[in-house]
Amino acid sequence: MSSNQSGQSLTRGYIGNIVAAAKTTAEGMAVTLAQYFRRPTTVQYPDRTDVPVSESLPERYRGFLEVDMDICTGCKACERDCPIDCIVIDLEKKEDVRGVVRFDIDMGKCMYCGICVEACPTDAQSVGDLEQTKCIRMTKEFEGATSDFPTLTFRFVRPGDFVPFFKPKKGEISSTKKRGEIARYVRKKAQEYNVVAVRWAYAHGGAGAQKGGAADAVKEEVLLKRAQELEPLVKEAGNDVKKVEDLLYSQALAQTDCEACGWPTCRAYADAMISGKDGEFFKCEPGGAEATRDMNLILQIRLGKPLADAAKATAKVVLEHHK
Ligand code: SF4
Ligand code: SF4
Ligand code: SF4
């Protein structure tokens, strides 16, 4: 091949490459331009979907947890069974009525295993759901993006509120609100007041701390004061077994009928303690150290022990069985 011919072929190759590049670019641009005239296959989230995404999810979707406090028995089964301590429940007694003063779930920590739901004994049916649910349940709510982690701690009892225990009838399926309503409400509230909530939690012994631990329950002055309160009630009940049962039920046990003590109801446990069928006076899990203290004080005072001795023996049992 002459040098002239080889120069022409090089020029053709060079121009051919430019043409090919221009053609490929034009083809790419044509594909891009065509998108302006086609119907979009994506939807702008979250405000242009036909229905809210949470409503299009399957019924068994595991989103945020919610609790209907109107049907919560305060049995603490969910708190006990959570393997990573996401749930904190505090109970209190006001004028002989027991109730929940705190029910927090840390959704930032939760691994959505559903064990708490399995543990809950309160069956319920949500409006619009095909399947039965529980007092604590998974919802289809999922939007938790935040730059402020405490806003993922959902509080089902407002600070300062007192929610009396719900008493379901045996075998009853309680009706409950539409699934997701409560989760949406508490998430909104968490975003509004969680800074205050976190401070409140720490003021009550730190987030995750149990109120009324053993050390608090057996402080000398607390024990003696409680023994003095219980002494006239024990004397009034005397040897009337029914009255002693009432006393244990109203003054010591948590009254949730959760069966954690191994007896089907709180009254059955009280009866077993009085009759000697159960000699373990520390098994009321929801009542914790305070319940152990009060049932031991009642039973010690019944035996006729001086208050100081009853308090001493009680402190020993509480510290042995509670942290
Ligand atoms: S879903 Fe699992 S991790 Fe979350 S609160 Fe319930 S038991 Fe705890
Ligand atoms: S009733 Fe259910 S939600 Fe309420 S404390 Fe018991 S297990 Fe938890
Ligand atoms: S006495 Fe038994 S049934 Fe009653 S609340 Fe305590 S653990 Fe549950």
Short mmCIF file of all heavy atoms in Angstrom, two decimals, residues 219-236 247 251 293-294 297-298 301 305-311 314:
data_model
loop_
_atom_site.label_atom_id
_atom_site.label_comp_id
_atom_site.label_asym_id
_atom_site.label_seq_id
_atom_site.Cartn_x
_atom_site.Cartn_y
_atom_site.Cartn_z
N LYS A 219 -35.59 0.40 102.49
CA LYS A 219 -34.97 1.45 103.33
C LYS A 219 -35.65 1.38 104.69
O LYS A 219 -36.89 1.24 104.75
CB LYS A 219 -35.21 2.82 102.71
CG LYS A 219 -34.20 3.19 101.65
CD LYS A 219 -34.47 4.60 101.18
CE LYS A 219 -33.68 4.88 99.92
NZ LYS A 219 -34.34 5.83 99.06
N GLU A 220 -34.86 1.50 105.78
CA GLU A 220 -35.41 1.27 107.12
C GLU A 220 -36.67 2.07 107.39
O GLU A 220 -37.69 1.54 107.84
CB GLU A 220 -34.34 1.59 108.15
CG GLU A 220 -34.57 0.84 109.45
CD GLU A 220 -33.46 1.12 110.45
OE1 GLU A 220 -32.31 1.33 110.01
OE2 GLU A 220 -33.78 1.15 111.65
N GLU A 221 -36.62 3.37 107.06
CA GLU A 221 -37.77 4.21 107.41
C GLU A 221 -39.00 3.84 106.56
O GLU A 221 -40.13 3.85 107.03
CB GLU A 221 -37.43 5.71 107.29
CG GLU A 221 -37.13 6.25 105.91
CD GLU A 221 -35.70 6.01 105.44
OE1 GLU A 221 -34.96 5.23 106.06
OE2 GLU A 221 -35.31 6.62 104.41
N VAL A 222 -38.73 3.42 105.30
CA VAL A 222 -39.84 3.04 104.40
C VAL A 222 -40.51 1.76 104.94
O VAL A 222 -41.73 1.65 105.04
CB VAL A 222 -39.32 2.80 102.97
CG1 VAL A 222 -40.42 2.29 102.05
CG2 VAL A 222 -38.71 4.08 102.40
N LEU A 223 -39.66 0.80 105.31
CA LEU A 223 -40.16 -0.50 105.81
C LEU A 223 -41.01 -0.31 107.07
O LEU A 223 -42.11 -0.86 107.19
CB LEU A 223 -38.97 -1.38 106.15
CG LEU A 223 -38.62 -2.49 105.18
CD1 LEU A 223 -37.39 -3.22 105.66
CD2 LEU A 223 -39.75 -3.46 104.99
N LEU A 224 -40.48 0.48 108.02
CA LEU A 224 -41.21 0.65 109.28
C LEU A 224 -42.51 1.41 109.07
O LEU A 224 -43.54 1.06 109.65
CB LEU A 224 -40.33 1.40 110.30
CG LEU A 224 -39.43 0.45 111.11
CD1 LEU A 224 -38.48 1.23 111.99
CD2 LEU A 224 -40.26 -0.53 111.95
N LYS A 225 -42.47 2.42 108.20
CA LYS A 225 -43.69 3.19 107.93
C LYS A 225 -44.76 2.28 107.31
O LYS A 225 -45.92 2.30 107.70
CB LYS A 225 -43.35 4.34 106.96
CG LYS A 225 -44.48 5.30 106.72
CD LYS A 225 -43.95 6.56 106.03
CE LYS A 225 -45.10 7.45 105.60
NZ LYS A 225 -45.71 7.08 104.36
N ARG A 226 -44.32 1.43 106.39
CA ARG A 226 -45.26 0.52 105.72
C ARG A 226 -45.80 -0.51 106.73
O ARG A 226 -46.99 -0.84 106.71
CB ARG A 226 -44.53 -0.18 104.56
CG ARG A 226 -45.42 -1.00 103.66
CD ARG A 226 -46.44 -0.17 102.94
NE ARG A 226 -47.30 -0.98 102.09
CZ ARG A 226 -48.61 -0.83 101.99
NH1 ARG A 226 -49.24 0.11 102.68
NH2 ARG A 226 -49.32 -1.60 101.19
N ALA A 227 -44.91 -0.99 107.61
CA ALA A 227 -45.35 -1.96 108.63
C ALA A 227 -46.41 -1.32 109.53
O ALA A 227 -47.41 -1.95 109.88
CB ALA A 227 -44.16 -2.43 109.44
N GLN A 228 -46.19 -0.03 109.88
CA GLN A 228 -47.17 0.67 110.74
C GLN A 228 -48.51 0.86 110.03
O GLN A 228 -49.57 0.78 110.65
CB GLN A 228 -46.61 2.03 111.17
CG GLN A 228 -45.61 1.91 112.30
CD GLN A 228 -44.65 3.10 112.38
OE1 GLN A 228 -44.77 4.05 111.60
NE2 GLN A 228 -43.71 3.04 113.30
N GLU A 229 -48.44 1.08 108.72
CA GLU A 229 -49.69 1.22 107.95
C GLU A 229 -50.46 -0.09 107.90
O GLU A 229 -51.68 -0.13 107.99
CB GLU A 229 -49.36 1.61 106.49
CG GLU A 229 -49.09 3.08 106.26
CD GLU A 229 -48.48 3.33 104.86
OE1 GLU A 229 -48.45 2.39 104.02
OE2 GLU A 229 -48.04 4.45 104.64
N LEU A 230 -49.69 -1.19 107.75
CA LEU A 230 -50.35 -2.49 107.56
C LEU A 230 -50.84 -3.12 108.86
O LEU A 230 -51.81 -3.88 108.86
CB LEU A 230 -49.37 -3.46 106.85
CG LEU A 230 -49.07 -3.14 105.39
CD1 LEU A 230 -47.92 -4.00 104.87
CD2 LEU A 230 -50.31 -3.38 104.51
N GLU A 231 -50.17 -2.79 109.98
CA GLU A 231 -50.50 -3.45 111.26
C GLU A 231 -52.01 -3.38 111.61
O GLU A 231 -52.62 -4.43 111.86
CB GLU A 231 -49.66 -2.87 112.38
CG GLU A 231 -49.78 -3.68 113.66
CD GLU A 231 -48.94 -3.09 114.78
OE1 GLU A 231 -48.77 -1.84 114.81
OE2 GLU A 231 -48.48 -3.87 115.62
N PRO A 232 -52.63 -2.17 111.60
CA PRO A 232 -54.06 -2.15 111.96
C PRO A 232 -54.93 -2.94 110.97
O PRO A 232 -55.92 -3.54 111.36
CB PRO A 232 -54.42 -0.65 111.93
CG PRO A 232 -53.30 0.03 111.22
CD PRO A 232 -52.11 -0.83 111.35
N LEU A 233 -54.53 -2.95 109.69
CA LEU A 233 -55.32 -3.70 108.70
C LEU A 233 -55.23 -5.20 108.95
O LEU A 233 -56.21 -5.93 108.83
CB LEU A 233 -54.83 -3.37 107.27
CG LEU A 233 -54.85 -1.89 106.87
CD1 LEU A 233 -54.24 -1.70 105.49
CD2 LEU A 233 -56.30 -1.38 106.85
N VAL A 234 -54.00 -5.65 109.33
CA VAL A 234 -53.82 -7.08 109.62
C VAL A 234 -54.64 -7.45 110.85
O VAL A 234 -55.30 -8.49 110.88
CB VAL A 234 -52.32 -7.40 109.84
CG1 VAL A 234 -52.13 -8.85 110.28
CG2 VAL A 234 -51.52 -7.13 108.57
N LYS A 235 -54.62 -6.57 111.87
CA LYS A 235 -55.37 -6.85 113.10
C LYS A 235 -56.86 -6.92 112.80
O LYS A 235 -57.57 -7.79 113.30
CB LYS A 235 -55.08 -5.77 114.14
CG LYS A 235 -53.72 -6.00 114.79
CD LYS A 235 -53.56 -5.20 116.05
CE LYS A 235 -52.23 -5.55 116.72
NZ LYS A 235 -51.58 -4.41 117.28
N GLU A 236 -57.32 -6.01 111.96
CA GLU A 236 -58.74 -5.97 111.61
C GLU A 236 -59.17 -7.26 110.88
O GLU A 236 -60.24 -7.79 111.12
CB GLU A 236 -58.99 -4.75 110.72
CG GLU A 236 -60.45 -4.34 110.67
CD GLU A 236 -60.66 -3.33 109.56
OE1 GLU A 236 -59.81 -2.43 109.40
OE2 GLU A 236 -61.67 -3.47 108.84
N LEU A 247 -56.78 -8.54 101.92
CA LEU A 247 -55.68 -7.65 102.30
C LEU A 247 -54.45 -7.85 101.40
O LEU A 247 -53.86 -6.90 100.89
CB LEU A 247 -55.32 -7.95 103.77
CG LEU A 247 -54.42 -6.96 104.48
CD1 LEU A 247 -55.00 -5.58 104.46
CD2 LEU A 247 -54.17 -7.42 105.91
N GLN A 251 -53.40 -4.86 99.07
CA GLN A 251 -52.25 -4.10 99.56
C GLN A 251 -50.91 -4.56 98.98
O GLN A 251 -49.95 -3.80 98.99
CB GLN A 251 -52.16 -4.19 101.09
CG GLN A 251 -53.32 -3.55 101.80
CD GLN A 251 -53.36 -2.04 101.61
OE1 GLN A 251 -52.33 -1.39 101.53
NE2 GLN A 251 -54.56 -1.48 101.50
N ARG A 293 -42.21 -7.09 99.53
CA ARG A 293 -42.13 -6.43 100.84
C ARG A 293 -43.49 -6.48 101.54
O ARG A 293 -43.59 -6.93 102.68
CB ARG A 293 -41.70 -4.97 100.65
CG ARG A 293 -41.65 -4.18 101.94
CD ARG A 293 -41.59 -2.70 101.66
NE ARG A 293 -42.83 -2.23 101.06
CZ ARG A 293 -42.95 -1.09 100.38
NH1 ARG A 293 -41.89 -0.31 100.21
NH2 ARG A 293 -44.10 -0.72 99.88
N ASP A 294 -44.53 -6.07 100.81
CA ASP A 294 -45.83 -5.95 101.48
C ASP A 294 -46.43 -7.30 101.84
O ASP A 294 -47.02 -7.46 102.91
CB ASP A 294 -46.80 -5.14 100.59
CG ASP A 294 -46.34 -3.69 100.47
OD1 ASP A 294 -45.42 -3.31 101.23
OD2 ASP A 294 -46.86 -2.95 99.62
N LEU A 297 -44.50 -8.50 104.90
CA LEU A 297 -44.87 -7.74 106.11
C LEU A 297 -46.21 -8.24 106.65
O LEU A 297 -46.35 -8.49 107.85
CB LEU A 297 -44.95 -6.25 105.79
CG LEU A 297 -43.61 -5.48 105.75
CD1 LEU A 297 -43.84 -4.04 105.32
CD2 LEU A 297 -42.91 -5.52 107.11
N ILE A 298 -47.19 -8.40 105.75
CA ILE A 298 -48.52 -8.85 106.19
C ILE A 298 -48.42 -10.21 106.88
O ILE A 298 -48.95 -10.42 107.98
CB ILE A 298 -49.50 -8.91 104.98
CG1 ILE A 298 -49.79 -7.49 104.48
CG2 ILE A 298 -50.79 -9.63 105.35
CD1 ILE A 298 -50.56 -7.42 103.18
N ILE A 301 -46.51 -9.94 110.26
CA ILE A 301 -47.31 -9.28 111.31
C ILE A 301 -48.41 -10.23 111.79
O ILE A 301 -48.73 -10.29 112.97
CB ILE A 301 -47.89 -7.93 110.80
CG1 ILE A 301 -46.76 -6.95 110.48
CG2 ILE A 301 -48.82 -7.30 111.84
CD1 ILE A 301 -47.20 -5.70 109.73
N LYS A 305 -45.27 -11.08 115.07
CA LYS A 305 -43.91 -10.58 115.30
C LYS A 305 -43.91 -9.08 115.58
O LYS A 305 -44.71 -8.34 114.99
CB LYS A 305 -43.05 -10.82 114.05
CG LYS A 305 -42.77 -12.27 113.80
CD LYS A 305 -41.40 -12.43 113.21
CE LYS A 305 -41.10 -13.90 113.04
NZ LYS A 305 -40.20 -14.15 111.96
N PRO A 306 -43.03 -8.58 116.45
CA PRO A 306 -42.89 -7.13 116.62
C PRO A 306 -42.51 -6.50 115.27
O PRO A 306 -41.83 -7.14 114.46
CB PRO A 306 -41.74 -6.97 117.62
CG PRO A 306 -41.57 -8.32 118.24
CD PRO A 306 -42.10 -9.34 117.29
N LEU A 307 -42.95 -5.24 115.06
CA LEU A 307 -42.74 -4.61 113.74
C LEU A 307 -41.27 -4.59 113.32
O LEU A 307 -40.95 -4.82 112.16
CB LEU A 307 -43.31 -3.19 113.74
CG LEU A 307 -44.83 -3.07 113.88
CD1 LEU A 307 -45.28 -1.67 113.53
CD2 LEU A 307 -45.56 -4.08 113.01
N ALA A 308 -40.37 -4.32 114.27
CA ALA A 308 -38.95 -4.24 113.91
C ALA A 308 -38.46 -5.60 113.38
O ALA A 308 -37.73 -5.66 112.39
CB ALA A 308 -38.13 -3.80 115.12
N ASP A 309 -38.90 -6.69 114.04
CA ASP A 309 -38.48 -8.03 113.59
C ASP A 309 -39.11 -8.38 112.24
O ASP A 309 -38.47 -8.97 111.37
CB ASP A 309 -38.90 -9.09 114.62
CG ASP A 309 -38.09 -8.95 115.91
OD1 ASP A 309 -37.14 -8.14 115.91
OD2 ASP A 309 -38.44 -9.62 116.90
N ALA A 310 -40.39 -8.00 112.10
CA ALA A 310 -41.09 -8.26 110.83
C ALA A 310 -40.37 -7.53 109.69
O ALA A 310 -40.17 -8.09 108.61
CB ALA A 310 -42.54 -7.80 110.93
N ALA A 311 -39.94 -6.30 109.97
CA ALA A 311 -39.25 -5.50 108.95
C ALA A 311 -37.91 -6.13 108.58
O ALA A 311 -37.54 -6.21 107.41
CB ALA A 311 -39.07 -4.08 109.46
N THR A 314 -38.44 -9.26 106.56
CA THR A 314 -38.93 -8.88 105.23
C THR A 314 -37.79 -8.38 104.34
O THR A 314 -37.67 -8.77 103.18
CB THR A 314 -40.01 -7.79 105.39
OG1 THR A 314 -41.12 -8.36 106.07
CG2 THR A 314 -40.45 -7.24 104.05
#
